[in-house]
């Protein structure tokens, strides 16, 4: 990259190549002194020129003799950090004169601080440097240099990164420190180095590649857990690794640098550009991180733009990339784009995409299109798809049942009534039950009509339909008759119908009959019917029997039955067991010894 000082430097190098002499470039650390002088060497000297680059501290007094032994071969003496090559055995004014006689150029660099110290310090060093006009190189780039950088950026990703980050990082520091940072970061992934620190920086780099330039520390900690089979990272481990990653290198920057918000961090810009450049060992951003970026950071427009640019080309061959991009489009509200992508992913075999597409269509109330995709999602274990599928099928069922029922189909009217009853639409359900009765389904629907009327407290009408059910051979009507009499206070009549219902095998009838007996002060008789209710599947039977036994201070037997109620999931059993424990304590050691209830079989 051309600097403003290049013409002056080129002229000095050509002059030194012709006549010998010292060419010196000075500047601040990381101003690009070495790179600029090296470029001038290759620009102005022939490709056959031999470069002698002795190590600091090398005795240079023998250099003329060595050069004379090379005959007419063109040579140049390269002394980077000239201050480390000074002294009695280093470069002196006398040695420089001898080299000039041999027409050997000496190319050297020196920091501004070192130059000032030596030029205006000891007489020997001053004598060496006094005849040299150094080429000064600054860290701040001029407008002309910045324009040249902008022109060159499209063809070079590193220059493009330097241009993009010029306001945040010094351009020369970016170009000089970047490779050093990248090298250290890359090697840090080894198990015996700093693998967690490497992963934290990688997470920051990949988030930047997703469009999230900076993130809070906790976001980085969770993001770095998305790589491979890594274990969760504790806050303490993360803080230690983050401190390593953010440590200042080369007096300039860390791999992680503070963001604009308190507690936020970002990757140093050149690292992001290096990974974008596709350097070996660094693959694409994990698909999970794209979704993590959206879910955690929120709707940052850059994320959508980057996702389209990066995941779009992958979509033709990668259903998971299709799914990820579809989910991002859905999150950003473009349902039309999301539907296209999710459909392609679902048709390519992604069951997750099928479930999500089915959900989009379901929300649009397009159940006919949604159901096939929801079925695929539901079969894969997607609970949200299972729920929506159930609702969609119910809605479709209602549509077709209503269509058939309106055409006079009695069975459809009955099922439609059941569906509406389950939805709580009791008046609508009653209307269709009555239509089913009128269509020849009287025996099947009479008890249902009685139950709805009972819920409306229309007891006399309910009684008529329950009696119809009994006359038609539906013994469930017996329990309904018992309830209508009980609701009107006719407990003897209610008990008679409950007993008949219980005798027919109805567990609810047995339970209700037991309750009547318990209320009449006949606990032993009641307990027999609680047992029968339990044996026939009534979940309240065991619970009520346990309470009855507890009231009778038959604590051991009560515990047995309450635990049975707990086993079948009775919602009050656990509380009753606690009450039982308290009752035992309160009753004390002088309480009657518990015994088995009279005539009760388990």
């Amino acid at each position: 990259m051309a600097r403003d000082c290049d013409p002056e430097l080129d002229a000095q190098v050509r002059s030194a190549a012709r006549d010998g002499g010292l060419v010196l470039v000075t500047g601040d650390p990381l101003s690009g002194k070495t790179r600029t002088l090296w470029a001038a060497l290759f620009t102005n000297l022939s490709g056959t020129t031999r470069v002698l680059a002795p190590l600091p501290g090398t005795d240079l007094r023998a250099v003329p003799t060595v050069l004379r032994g090379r005959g007419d071969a063109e040579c140049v003496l390269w002394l980077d950090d000239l201050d480390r090559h000074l002294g009695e055995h280093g470069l002196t004014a006398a040695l420089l004169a001898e080299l000039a006689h041999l027409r050997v150029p000496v190319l050297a660099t020196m920091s501004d601080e070192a130059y000032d110290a030596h030029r205006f310090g000891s007489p020997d060093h001053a004598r060496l440097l006094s005849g040299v006009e150094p080429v000064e190189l600054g860290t701040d780039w001029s407008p002309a240099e910045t324009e040249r950088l902008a022109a060159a950026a499209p063809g070079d990703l590193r220059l493009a990164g330097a241009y993009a980050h010029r306001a945040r990082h010094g351009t020369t520091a970016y170009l000089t420190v970047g490779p050093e940072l990248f090298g250290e970061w890359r090697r840090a992934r080894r198990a015996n180095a700093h693998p967690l620190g490497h992963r934290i920086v990688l997470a920051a780099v990949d988030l930047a590649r997703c469009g999230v330039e900076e993130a809070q520390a906790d976001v980085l900690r969770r993001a770095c857990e998305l790589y491979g089979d890594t274990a969760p990272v504790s806050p303490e481990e993360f803080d230690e690794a983050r401190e390593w990653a953010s440590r200042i290198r080369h007096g300039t920057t860390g791999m992680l640098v503070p963001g604009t918000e308190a507690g936020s961090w970002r990757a140093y810009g050149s690292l992001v550009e290096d990974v974008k450049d596709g350097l070996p060992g660094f693959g694409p951003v994990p698909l999970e991180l794209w979704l993590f970026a959206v879910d955690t950071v929120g709707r940052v427009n850059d994320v959508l733009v980057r996702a389209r640019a990066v995941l779009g080309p992958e979509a033709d061959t990668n259903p998971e990339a299709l799914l990820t991009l579809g989910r991002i489009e859905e999150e950003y509200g473009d349902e039309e784009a999301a539907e296209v992508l999710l459909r392609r992913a679902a048709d390519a075999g992604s069951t997750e995409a099928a479930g999500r597409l089915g959900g989009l269509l379901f929300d649009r109330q397009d159940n006919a299109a949604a159901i096939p995709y929801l079925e695929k999602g539901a079969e894969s274990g997607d609970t949200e798809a299972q729920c929506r599928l159930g609702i969609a099928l119910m809605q479709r069922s209602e549509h077709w049942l209503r269509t058939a029922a309106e055409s006079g189909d009695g069975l459809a009217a009955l099922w439609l009534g059941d569906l509406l009853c389950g939805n709580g639409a009791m008046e609508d359900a009653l209307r269709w039950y009555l239509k089913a009765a009128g269509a020849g389904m009287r025996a099947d629907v009479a008890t249902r009509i009685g139950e709805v009327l009972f819920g409306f407290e229309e007891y006399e009408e309910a009684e008529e339909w329950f009696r119809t059910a009994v006359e038609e051979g539906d013994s469930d009507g017996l329990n309904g008759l018992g309830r209508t009499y009980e609701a009107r206070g006719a407990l003897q009549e209610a008990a008679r119908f409950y007993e008949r219902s219980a005798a027919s095998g109805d567990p609810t009838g047995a339970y209700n009959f037991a309750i009547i007996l318990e209320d009449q002060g006949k606990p032993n008789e009641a307990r027999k019917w609680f047992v029968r209710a339990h044996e026939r599947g009534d979940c309240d039977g065991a619970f009520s029997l346990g309470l009855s036994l507890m009231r009778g201070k038959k604590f051991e037997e009560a515990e047995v039955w309450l635990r049975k109620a707990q086993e079948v999931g009775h919602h009050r059993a656990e509380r009753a067991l606690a009450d039982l424990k308290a009752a035992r304590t309160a009753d004390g050691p002088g309480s009657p010894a518990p015994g088995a209830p009279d005539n009760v079989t388990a």
Side-chain angles (χ1 to χ4, degrees), residues 114-337:
Y115 176 80
D116 291 342
H118 289 85
R119 171 67 180 83
F120 308 106
S122 71
D124 289 342
H125 297 160
R127 189 162 45 253
L128 170 68
L129 298 173
S130 63
V132 177
E133 186 63 36
V135 176
E136 297 182 19
L137 195 64
T139 55
D140 295 329
W141 282 39
S142 70
E145 288 174 326
T146 303
E147 287 183 12
R148 290 194 293 272
L149 177 65
D156 188 313
L157 282 176
R158 178 167 289 281
L159 295 181
Y163 182 76
H165 295 280
R166 67 190 185 282
R168 183 179 290 170
H169 313 293
T171 302
T172 51
Y174 185 97
L175 294 172
T176 305
V177 175
E180 298 296 325
L181 287 181
F182 185 84
E184 182 183 0
W185 172 52
R186 187 172 186 174
R187 291 180 61 79
R189 59 184 168 177
R190 295 170 297 152
N192 62 346
H194 296 279
L196 179 55
H198 170 88
R199 202 160 69 246
I200 292 171
V201 176
L202 177 59
V205 166
D206 282 350
L207 281 172
R209 295 166 73 191
C210 291
V212 180
E213 295 294 338
E214 59 185 62
Q216 293 293 317
D218 185 62
V219 172
L220 281 179
R221 181 178 64 81
R222 288 182 285 136
C224 73
E225 295 174 356
L226 299 176
Y227 293 84
D229 298 326
T230 55
V233 178
S234 71
E236 295 76 18
E237 291 173 320
F238 175 84
D239 287 343
E240 181 179 349
R242 181 193 53 75
E243 288 179 7
W244 171 85
S246 59
R247 190 182 70 229
I248 300 299
R249 272 88 169 165
H250 308 289
T252 302
T253 183
M255 300 175 191
L256 279 184
V257 295
T260 57
E261 296 182 5
S264 67
W265 297 89
R266 58 180 173 81
Y268 185 73
S270 68
L271 295 176
V272 179
E273 301 302 329
D274 284 340
V275 175
K276 280 183 183 177
D277 203 12
L279 291 179
F282 298 94
V285 175
L287 294 176
E288 297 87 347
L289 194 69
W290 286 101
L291 299 174
F292 177 84
V294 173
D295 293 341
T296 306
V297 182
R299 293 187 178 186
V300 180
N301 189 55
D302 284 349
V303 176
L304 179 60
V305 173
R306 299 277 182 89
R308 286 172 174 170
V310 175
L311 299 179
E314 295 183 30
D316 291 335
T317 57
N318 186 349
E320 292 304 311
L322 269 173
L323 169 62
T324 302
L325 183 55
R327 290 183 61 182
I328 294 173
E329 293 282 7
E330 182 183 4
E331 179 67 28
Y332 278 77
D334 192 341
E335 290 192 1
E336 184 176 345

Side-chain angles (χ1 to χ4, degrees), residues 393-461:
L393 290 173
M394 182 179 68
Q395 292 172 343
R396 294 289 291 169
S397 296
E398 180 179 345
H399 168 76
W400 290 113
L401 288 172
R402 192 178 293 275
T403 300
E406 288 172 348
S407 299
D409 188 287
L411 182 60
L414 184 151
W415 278 94
L416 179 58
D418 284 350
L419 185 59
L420 293 167
C421 200
N423 289 338
M426 306 308 294
E427 291 187 2
D428 203 12
L430 178 60
R431 183 167 65 90
W432 290 107
Y433 282 148
L434 291 171
K435 284 185 176 291
M441 305 289 296
R442 192 177 185 84
D444 300 282
V445 81
T447 297
R448 290 174 168 84
I449 295 174
E451 291 290 350
V452 175
L453 290 169
F454 182 87
F456 291 157
E457 298 184 359
E458 300 288 348
Y459 299 131
E460 291 185 2
E461 289 186 54

